[in-house]
Amino acid sequence: MKPRPPAMRAKRRYILARILPYGVAWDQKQVYLSVIEAATSLWGDAAIGFAQPAVVFCDGGYIVVRCRRGTEKDIATALATVNAIADARVALRTVATSGTIHALRRRMKPIRPLSEAGEVKFGETYFTVYRYPRQKVDLVEKGIKHQKSLFFTEVDLEER
Amino acid sequence: MKITDASIHPYPVGDSTLARMALEAAGLGFDSIVAIGDVGHRPDGPEVLRGAVISAASQKEVIKQVREPAARRADVVYVNAGDISFNRSIVTLKGVHVVRSIHATRRNAFDHVAARSAAEHNVAVDLSMAPIIQLRGTKRQRALQRYTDILSLQRRYGFPLTISSGARSILEQRSVRDLRGLCALFGMTGEEVSEALSSIDRITRPDQPVKVVR
């Protein structure tokens, strides 16, 4: 099939968002489903049908959401209402909006743990400790399912 | 002009410590935050104000709780909204700064009489973003309706508004830009959002007449 000439294609905008908590590999389809659920719930089928949001990139703690030009503010607002991806609590932080994915790639700064994961015990519960820049410490309960997460700083951890 | 998140609930109520939430708030564009509950050690970074929430059924109870040490130590005192007569009375009380949880009240629970009194006594109404972010369907629609109603009263009578994330976790905190988008859902303009985000500073430090110091 012959592609449409560029002048006849719909203009797109790309929104870069960071996924919190850090260090989890998210499935692109699950992210898409969460974004669509939040956007449709907020703006309705007609508006989202027009905006055509799609998750075109999902890696390294970042996602890129594509939408029709002119609807990027609405989609960014909808991203703020995303609470969970596949039953896991998350937050999407909008970083930038651009007309090209290339421009957004320059804004992606991978966030990796500073050192090897440690271990700490609070009461009867064991937590895995992940340290991140700016003295951020994420504690993830050890277990198989529905692990509890705590968000501390290095100072908080020392004081306990 | 200090951009303030008017209420957060740090650990142990939530899953994030005050220091971590303050760090996150600074990254999200806030100059100060109001932490509900026992603040303890105030971390570096954005200014942390102490908030106290009063939940009572009658005006008498509110007066009693406002005089308690926990409320007297607090920088900002919140009272959970109730029915129409309760709301009319609490906005006139000395020591009450903000009326919160307005989305959970019945329609017209905060009416034009309460709005006028709130403006006269410089008592703010808090617009929590938590119901807009967390809820879906009719519950969220009801919250948006309530906020639209409050906004129309605010435009008429000029009482202060505050905007809060009501976050119990860093995952529930939102950036200033996100808050602007969310507030636009019920018709708030950018200027009104800026004013509401900076109103905590004006409530806690109201304009005083100039004093001559000798």
Side-chain angles (χ1 to χ4, degrees):
Chain A
M1 195 174 76
K2 198 178 170 188
R4 277 193 185 183
M8 287 184 70
R9 290 179 205 157
K11 298 283 185 208
R12 304 298 179 94
R13 279 288 177 269
Y14 299 90
I15 303 166
L16 176 68
R18 195 170 58 233
I19 310 180
L20 253 67
Y22 308 125
V24 184
W26 301 101
D27 177 34
Q28 189 167 333
K29 190 175 177 185
Q30 293 294 340
V31 176
Y32 168 77
L33 291 173
S34 297
V35 169
I36 287 294
E37 183 275 325
T40 310
S41 164
L42 189 68
W43 297 110
D45 290 337
I48 296 307
F50 177 76
Q52 298 171 3
V55 177
V56 293
F57 175 87
C58 176
D59 195 22
Y62 285 92
I63 62 163
V64 174
V65 180
R66 185 185 67 199
C67 63
R68 191 186 278 262
R69 188 173 70 178
T71 63
E72 61 270 19
K73 275 191 181 172
D74 296 346
I75 298 299
T77 304
L79 292 181
T81 66
V82 173
N83 305 313
I85 297 173
D87 293 336
R89 288 176 67 225
V90 298
L92 298 182
R93 302 250 190 271
T94 307
V95 178
T97 305
S98 175
T100 62
I101 298 176
H102 181 75
L104 294 181
R105 280 188 192 276
R106 274 176 276 167
R107 302 287 296 269
M108 291 181 199
K109 289 164 192 158
I111 301 150
R112 295 194 184 92
L114 290 176
S115 55
E116 288 289 305
E119 193 183 278
V120 68
K121 189 185 175 191
F122 285 163
E124 294 298 306
T125 318
Y126 285 92
F127 289 87
T128 309
V129 182
Y130 298 98
R131 290 184 163 81
Y132 291 98
R134 301 186 64 202
Q135 300 208 326
K136 293 178 182 177
V137 180
D138 289 4
L139 307 173
V140 182
E141 188 183 352
K142 285 200 161 184
I144 302 165
K145 221 176 174 187
H146 303 301
Q147 296 107 313
K148 190 176 155 190
S149 293
L150 297 173
F151 304 98
F152 280 37
T153 61
E154 204 68 68
V155 177
D156 296 323
L157 203 61
E158 283 164 12
E159 282 176 1
R160 289 195 68 86
Chain B
M1 191 175 83
K2 274 186 179 165
I3 304 291
T4 308
D5 185 343
S7 89
I8 59 157
H9 304 262
Y11 187 83
V13 176
D15 64 13
S16 310
T17 59
L18 178 61
R20 183 67 185 270
M21 290 183 102
L23 203 61
E24 205 68 30
L28 294 171
F30 290 95
D31 302 314
S32 61
I33 50 175
V34 182
I36 307 294
D38 192 18
V39 172
H41 167 71
R42 297 190 187 202
D44 300 334
E47 187 185 358
V48 178
L49 300 169
R50 191 196 300 257
V53 176
I54 294 172
S55 200
S58 67
Q59 187 190 0
K60 268 188 183 176
E61 253 182 85
V62 177
I63 294 169
K64 194 179 154 199
Q65 287 192 41
V66 162
R67 289 176 186 158
E68 281 178 7
R72 295 182 112 174
R73 274 200 309 268
D75 300 306
V76 189
V77 176
Y78 297 83
V79 179
N80 284 330
D83 61 17
I84 189 163
S85 57
F86 178 78
N87 293 343
R88 281 182 181 182
S89 60
I90 57 166
V91 292
T92 60
L93 292 180
K94 202 178 172 192
V96 173
H97 297 118
V98 183
V99 179
R100 74 193 283 270
S101 299
I102 211 86
H103 64 275
T105 58
R106 288 174 71 90
R107 201 172 160 212
N108 297 329
F110 191 87
D111 64 350
H112 64 285
V113 179
R116 193 180 294 142
S117 298
E120 280 169 12
H121 294 88
N122 199 31
V123 173
V125 174
D126 182 50
L127 304 177
S128 172
M129 292 298 112
I132 299 175
I133 295 167
Q134 309 290 337
L135 301 178
R136 298 281 188 271
T138 49
K139 284 182 179 171
R140 179 158 66 183
Q141 289 163 23
R142 215 168 290 144
L144 288 169
Q145 281 170 15
R146 300 290 297 115
Y147 290 170
T148 308
D149 187 43
I150 293 293
L151 187 62
S152 66
L153 287 170
Q154 193 275 334
R155 284 173 180 162
R156 176 83 172 78
Y157 296 101
F159 56 86
L161 290 175
T162 61
I163 296 173
S164 64
S165 65
R168 287 163 194 270
S169 165
I170 58 161
L171 303 177
E172 291 171 13
Q173 286 180 278
R174 292 294 180 268
S175 67
V176 174
R177 187 165 47 179
D178 286 339
L179 294 186
R180 279 182 207 285
L182 292 168
C183 289
L185 294 172
F186 50 88
M188 236 175 154
T189 62
E191 207 172 296
E192 285 170 333
V193 174
S194 301
E195 205 179 315
L197 286 170
S198 60
S199 59
I200 284 285
D201 201 32
R202 288 197 301 276
I203 294 162
T204 52
R205 289 175 219 150
D207 293 335
Q208 301 281 339
V210 178
K211 286 180 186 169
V212 179
V213 181
R214 294 183 187 186

